[in-house]
Amino acid sequence: MTKERIEKELTKVRQQLAQLQAKEKDLAEQKQMAEDAETMKLIRKYKISSEKLQLLNKFSEDEISHLLAEKEAKTEKEITLNEEKTIY
């Protein structure tokens, strides 16, 4: 292959990559919109108020914080136990 032909191929491939990346971005946005629509359908179906959604979100955040704190305490306890085993 000549240098010019390789450059031409590279240009072509880069254009295809740019098109594919744009398509990927568009599809990811479409997927997010579809997921959001499904969520909205569920919210409407079960007539969940915005206050309830806020409470659920707050509950989730609190639950996650609690689980992370438990995991951290467990990890610290395991480290302490391993250190004690190493000493003895």
Side-chain angles (χ1 to χ4, degrees):
M1 266 191 190
T2 65
K3 183 178 175 183
E4 292 82 20
R5 187 168 176 188
I6 293 170
E7 282 295 327
K8 188 176 178 180
E9 281 290 314
L10 272 173
T11 303
K12 182 180 174 183
V13 168
R14 288 180 181 140
Q15 288 173 345
Q16 290 173 340
L17 281 172
Q19 290 172 345
L20 287 172
Q21 288 172 336
K23 185 175 181 178
E24 177 190 26
K25 182 180 177 184
D26 183 53
L27 288 171
E29 290 173 359
Q30 288 181 30
K31 179 183 174 191
Q32 184 63 51
M33 288 171 46
E35 289 172 351
D36 292 347
E38 286 179 14
T39 302
M40 290 303 297
K41 284 180 186 177
L42 286 173
I43 289 169
R44 287 188 192 117
K45 180 179 179 180
Y46 293 105
K47 298 178 178 138
I48 301 172
S49 68
S50 62
E51 292 83 14
K52 286 182 182 178
L53 284 173
Q54 290 172 349
L55 285 172
L56 286 170
N57 189 39
K58 177 70 174 151
F59 176 74
S60 295
E61 290 173 3
D62 290 344
E63 187 177 34
I64 289 169
S65 296
H66 179 71
L67 290 172
L68 287 173
E70 281 182 357
K71 183 178 179 181
E72 186 176 308
K74 183 178 177 184
T75 303
E76 289 176 7
K77 185 177 178 181
E78 288 174 353
I79 290 171
T80 304
L81 288 173
N82 286 337
E83 287 175 351
E84 288 175 359
K85 286 179 183 177
T86 305
I87 293 172
Y88 296 110

